[in-house]
Amino acid sequence: MRTRRSLHALAGTLALGAALLGTLAADPAAAQQSPGSGAGQGTGLFQMTPPLGGAARAPGSAPPPVSVPMIAPGAAAPGTPSAVAQPRPPAAQAPFAQAPAALAPALEAPAAQPSQTEGGGAPAAAPFQMVPGQPAAPAATTAARQPVAPPRPDRYIIPQQRMVFAGEVASRAFVIYATQEEAARQATFLLSYLNAVVVMPESSRIRVTINGQAVVETPISSSQEPSRIAAPIPRGTLRAGANLIRIEVTQRHRTDCAVTASYELWTEINNEGTGIAYAGGRPTILGGLDDLAAIGFDARGATNIRVITPGSVENSSPRVLRAIQGLALRGLFPNPAVTIADGAAGPAPTGTLNVVIGSAAELPRLMANPMAEARQRPVANLVEDSRLGTPTLVLSGPTAADVDRAIDRLNDFVLNQTDAIQTATSFAPNAPLFNGARTVRLAELGVTTQEFSGRRLRVEFQIALPADFFAEFYGNATLLLDVAFTAAVRPGSHVDVYVNQQIASNLPITTRGGGLMQHQPMQIPLRNFRPGINHLWLEVVLDTESDARCLPGATLPGDSRFVLFDSTEFAMENFARIGTVPNLAALTADAFPYGLAGPPTAVVLARQNATTLATAATLLARLARAHGRPLPLDVSPAAATLGERNALFIGDIDQIPASVLDQVGISASTRSNWVVSAGDDAAAGTDNADNYDGVLERFRARQSGGTGGAATAAGTADDTNTPEVYERWRNAVQNTGALRALADSFEGWLKRTFSISFESLRINQGQRTLYEPPPRTSVLMAQGNSPNDAAVWTLVTGRTSETLAGGMTQLVSDRTWNRIGGQAVALQSASGEVERREVNSHRFIVTTPLSIANIRMISANWLSTNIVPYALMLMIVSLVLGITTFLMLRRLGRPS
């Protein structure tokens, strides 16, 4: 009986299903009108569809990352159903009899035929339903499923090409300038970032403050694709003028407690998605010169200065180079990039400043809306132009003399750099300038008291030294530490100080049971410092028993085990001050010696074209910023006077005279060996470039090595005498190897005993050698004396004018500019590497009064640098003393 009843029930069910299928086939719209009838949407009782935004993918493939749409504060995303449907009244629920109808379209649909949206992608599925008994939310329309581009900032704020926060604790502060209209308008802060997959989101956070007011504070959880966060900026937070932005990052590892694992933690800010969006768009920048600092920069952190001027480059270059220096001083641009245009130009993108230079009669050809005031008086104002866009700076007047007066008004500005160097627009606070003995607290350097529970604590700060800083081999700076640590910190922990990316001092922690250090001195040799900006960081590495065991949950924040107090001080005593040339580090510090009193600096352009002029303008913008005031220039110098005056030579190397190359110590063969173009440089990988350069350098060394190089270059066909070949190789290998081993052993003993190496002896100092840069060099900078040794010549060159212009923007950026030094540097744009050639011999230039104390320190440094003359002087003095003593004893003494 039970079997017969089951068969009857099954037959009835099949009949009902067949009837329903027939009905649906006759009227397909009925299936579409029933709730939850979409394919793959499930029944009205329970939804098992993927989350909204999931696209069709191959079976077994990893699910795509879920991106959270950015929603303006206080608003709901239109057309976006809730991830979890809210319960509805029972009367609104679909009856159970309608549930099979939802399966009909799935039975009739052809297999493996996903429908496509208008954009070509798979349609988005309805949200995942986790509430039993509820129907599916209605699917979004095709228009709503179209990918919506995330909002872009009206103003970018990251002042460099890449900003990466590494380690367990990291922070960075910088200043942006805002106009009065920007400060008053409603604004939203946009943040986009990407982090390492090993960062634990539960205990890692990123925090952004503006003028001390927290704007964003969120967990770090974006390891698959850049996240996008929008947060309203409270009214009154942004101010007219300078605004301090601080980004702080706290990161913890998911599984590993080792100190080495902290190097795997990083969070990178996505420049294109980070900035400020204004309601109704960014306000127009109009008015006077005080708002130039609010121009900002593009997504790469560069401020593009587009100069529009009539006439030939030769006639306009004096005005352009003078105007660019005033712009750099007033705008405080962290990374200026200048281009020259003649005539019409399109609308300006974000981070671009148009500069129109010309008389009132020439303005109609240069812009769509010329200023009427320019026909009456000199003008230097920011305006809006329908052709060029905004902001546009107009430097004009009725006559050519009035145009020069407008540029003089722009250049009537001096940066106050007597106590600190203006670095806040890229790294805040400003770097304090040490002109002599001085002590500063970490609180003045932007470092706050920090309690730490992790494994590796790192804090960064900057100081500045004058261009005539002369302390290579004597003296120390001192870091007076105020720290405390608990009993959990074991001996073997240590505190390290890095200066300009090189370790300079180490303090081991040897006590057990915790401790408190008050003004514990750490000596930092002055040889680690350079003229200009010096980047320092203090790194504390902690070893604990709990980290060695690394039990589950050990990476989570716990009780603080170390504290660094902001009362820690950095101190320097008086040091020797005298200028030296050649010295490219002094050039980057204060445009030395071009800022000294004397005739104007001669600027020699290898080609009179817009590209070379733009390169010179970009360089002079950075030099003026370093000097704090515009440099007096002579753009059309007489060739007969170049030997007696400071000069800058700028252009592609094919147009640089051989005499100039020889004076700055560059080999003339560079013209033929420097064959790699900018496109090849960018396309080649870093590893290949390194291997290629290494092979060429080794080959040149062999070629200049005498018989060894000749033997290597010669073919085996000519070496038919086997005994002679064997004897030559035996002598070369055995004798050279034995002598080299003996020399290396002796040099090692000198280093261990006296900290002296063969290089420091400078035995071959008098032998002048010429420098040849690597073939993949983008920009070459070299410095030397003029032919009569009365002035300084500096060469800035590239393989072509275009290569030089492209590499100059990278050369003047903070990341590269503060690494320049020595007699010559070669920048490779593709890898960012800077190769330095150190100074073989230099000439002194007196910059401060030669007091007895200063002469003593100059002598101490010179004698420490020149060990052989120092030793000879000691021998001569000892010999004279011995002879004098012998003669005196013969006359005055009595024989015993």
Side-chain angles (χ1 to χ4, degrees), residues 281-606:
R282 186 178 183 185
T284 302
I285 301 179
L286 303 173
L289 301 175
D290 294 337
D291 289 335
L292 280 174
I295 298 299
F297 30 79
D298 60 13
R300 299 179 294 109
T303 302
N304 302 293
I305 304 175
R306 188 168 60 179
V307 181
I308 304 169
T309 180
S312 64
V313 171
E314 186 174 1
N315 294 332
S316 59
S317 55
R319 291 176 179 171
V320 170
L321 296 182
R322 288 176 53 221
I324 287 299
Q325 294 187 80
L327 286 174
L329 293 172
R330 290 182 178 269
L332 295 173
F333 307 129
N335 303 298
V338 182
T339 57
I340 307 297
D342 182 11
T350 303
T352 300
L353 171 65
N354 295 309
V355 182
V356 178
I357 304 176
S359 63
E362 297 168 330
L363 289 184
R365 187 168 70 87
L366 304 178
M367 54 190 306
N369 309 112
M371 295 184 61
E373 300 178 9
R375 299 185 177 276
Q376 303 173 0
R377 59 181 178 83
V379 293
N381 291 337
L382 288 164
V383 300
E384 182 178 11
D385 187 74
S386 58
R387 182 196 304 169
L388 304 177
T390 181
T392 297
L393 175 65
V394 178
L395 301 173
S396 182
T399 64
D402 293 322
V403 177
D404 293 332
R405 279 191 284 270
I407 297 176
D408 292 338
R409 176 186 169 190
L410 173 67
N411 287 357
D412 187 16
F413 187 85
V414 176
L415 288 177
N416 182 12
Q417 300 192 139
T418 57
D419 186 65
I421 302 298
Q422 301 287 335
T423 63
T425 52
S426 57
F427 194 105
N430 293 327
L433 178 61
F434 285 71
N435 289 309
R438 184 177 179 181
T439 300
V440 294
R441 299 169 67 245
L442 289 190
E444 303 173 51
L445 298 171
V447 179
T448 60
T449 297
Q450 299 192 28
E451 296 181 86
F452 185 61
S453 62
R455 291 131 201 92
R456 186 171 64 96
L457 172 66
R458 175 173 164 177
V459 295
E460 304 179 50
F461 56 92
Q462 293 187 150
I463 67 157
L465 293 173
D468 57 356
F469 172 77
F470 186 61
E472 297 177 0
F473 285 92
Y474 85 100
N476 295 290
T478 306
L479 186 67
L480 303 172
L481 283 177
D482 285 345
V483 300
F485 53 94
T486 65
V489 178
R490 300 190 298 189
S493 304
H494 51 92
V495 181
D496 302 325
V497 176
Y498 291 79
V499 180
N500 298 324
Q501 300 181 350
Q502 300 292 329
I503 189 167
S505 185
N506 171 267
L507 176 66
I509 296 176
T510 58
T511 59
R512 298 180 181 273
L516 175 66
M517 298 182 183
Q518 292 182 315
H519 272 46
Q520 175 68 34
M522 291 186 67
Q523 301 296 327
I524 308 173
L526 291 182
R527 64 173 175 267
N528 295 281
F529 296 86
R530 64 184 298 277
I533 303 299
N534 292 265
H535 191 77
L536 293 87
W537 67 75
L538 177 68
E539 188 169 277
V540 182
V541 178
L542 302 177
D543 179 24
T544 64
E545 184 178 353
S546 61
D547 290 338
R549 292 199 307 265
C550 199
L551 299 176
T555 58
L556 294 172
D559 296 334
S560 297
R561 58 181 65 164
F562 186 90
V563 58
L564 170 68
F565 297 101
D566 61 5
S567 57
T568 298
E569 295 179 344
F570 178 84
M572 292 185 72
E573 300 296 332
N574 286 318
F575 47 82
R577 295 193 60 180
I578 189 168
T580 59
V581 290
N583 188 353
L584 291 177
L587 175 73
T588 62
D590 189 25
F592 183 86
Y594 300 103
L596 299 178
T601 298
V603 178
V604 181
L605 303 182

